[in-house]
Amino acid sequence: MIDLYTAATPNGHKVSIALEELGLPYTLKVLDLTAGEQKTPDFLAINPNGRIPAIVDHEADDFAVFESGACLIYLAEKTGRLMPTDARGRSRVIQWLMFQMGGIGPMMGQANVFFRYFPEKIPAVIDRYQGESKRLFRVLDGQLKDHEYLAGDYSIADIANWAWVRTHRWSGVEMDDLPHLKRWRDAIRARPAVARGIEMPPSKVDLTRDGDAGAQKFAEEARSMVETGQSLKPGGGAA
């Protein structure tokens, strides 16, 4: 049995999707990020960085793994699935996984901060992060022009990138002019395990479309956390 410590974010959903795809039994442990549950001593013993997701594998002497990409690699290697075992195939998957970890995630994350959460709208900064996110989308679109999936067969690289790309409207980045990326996005969304994974847990707001009724409230709740890198205590002080 695996414990998954998570929340309804793209990084969290990467791991829940992988667990669903692999059919591994797991216990969902949802952390309230705005309440600072990711900063408690018990969780910091699992992930010293105090971020979700993290897993604990009770079949491996309670081995803990943090960082979403590391969790994906661990699960793929544990099961021998969603990543080739030959050196070249494994490298291709890891390259596209690192593309997400070092590019798509950070750039879309910063676009979210300045487009959605930051109280002062700074056009040059918003343009910078949205523009770089779109550039990275074009890279994905180019790869997918001649490939059904990013690195051969469907893999953890697709899961990682998809979990972020699906939320492109929340970052203010359009992809109507990227047909291959849209085809890939829709094909992965149709997978039953993916549909289950993005509900583990469900998001408070629909990050796949703009103008959701709860979007403003959600953004306000997240604002203090993303501005300071911390959560708030119930009384309003920084945790």
Side-chain angles (χ1 to χ4, degrees):
M1 180 68 74
I2 290 173
D3 287 341
L4 169 60
Y5 294 83
T6 190
T9 72
N11 284 336
H13 284 151
K14 288 187 222 174
V15 181
S16 56
I17 290 170
L19 287 164
E20 291 289 338
E21 289 280 13
L22 295 168
L24 290 171
Y26 67 99
T27 300
L28 194 68
K29 296 184 177 292
V30 181
L31 302 186
D32 185 343
L33 305 185
T34 60
E37 292 181 354
Q38 74 279 23
K39 304 297 183 182
T40 63
D42 286 348
F43 184 68
L44 290 173
I46 297 168
N47 181 1
N49 195 33
R51 300 290 180 91
I52 62 94
I55 59 175
V56 176
D57 187 351
H58 295 296
E59 294 180 351
D61 297 322
D62 298 338
F63 185 65
V65 185
F66 66 91
E67 286 297 323
S68 59
C71 292
L72 292 177
I73 293 171
Y74 178 83
L75 293 172
E77 292 181 337
K78 176 183 175 71
T79 59
R81 294 172 56 198
L82 295 178
M83 183 169 66
T85 56
D86 67 285
R88 290 188 178 184
R90 185 177 185 275
S91 178
R92 290 188 187 99
V93 168
I94 291 178
Q95 288 173 56
W96 285 104
L97 175 61
M98 293 302 106
F99 176 86
Q100 184 279 306
M101 296 292 293
I104 291 285
M107 292 301 102
M108 291 184 69
Q110 291 300 316
N112 292 345
V113 168
F114 291 101
F115 180 62
R116 292 284 179 184
Y117 307 135
F118 207 65
E120 180 184 356
K121 301 304 179 187
I122 309 173
V125 175
I126 294 171
D127 290 347
R128 154 65 181 162
Y129 290 116
Q130 289 180 338
E132 180 62 7
S133 296
K134 185 60 177 281
R135 185 191 71 80
L136 295 170
F137 280 17
R138 293 191 188 100
V139 174
L140 292 174
D141 189 68
Q143 175 68 4
L144 293 164
K145 179 181 179 181
D146 299 315
H147 301 84
E148 183 177 8
Y149 298 109
L150 288 172
D153 293 335
Y154 178 69
S155 72
I156 57 174
D158 296 290
I159 292 171
N161 281 278
W162 184 86
W164 276 94
V165 169
R166 69 179 286 265
T167 69
H168 65 98
R169 288 193 177 90
W170 191 251
S171 303
V173 181
E174 291 301 324
M175 52 185 285
D176 289 342
D177 58 336
L178 303 174
H180 312 295
L181 187 60
K182 288 174 63 180
R183 183 269 306 163
W184 170 87
R185 177 200 62 189
D186 295 344
I188 293 177
R189 178 64 178 84
R191 296 177 67 91
V194 171
R196 294 193 300 271
I198 58 175
E199 295 297 319
M200 298 294 175
S203 178
K204 295 179 180 179
V205 62
D206 187 350
L207 300 181
T208 67
R209 60 188 179 90
D210 206 356
D212 184 273
Q216 183 174 351
K217 183 176 185 296
F218 179 86
E220 290 172 354
E221 290 176 350
R223 180 170 297 153
S224 59
M225 184 169 58
V226 299
E227 285 177 10
T228 65
Q230 304 179 79
S231 60
L232 295 185
K233 296 177 181 178

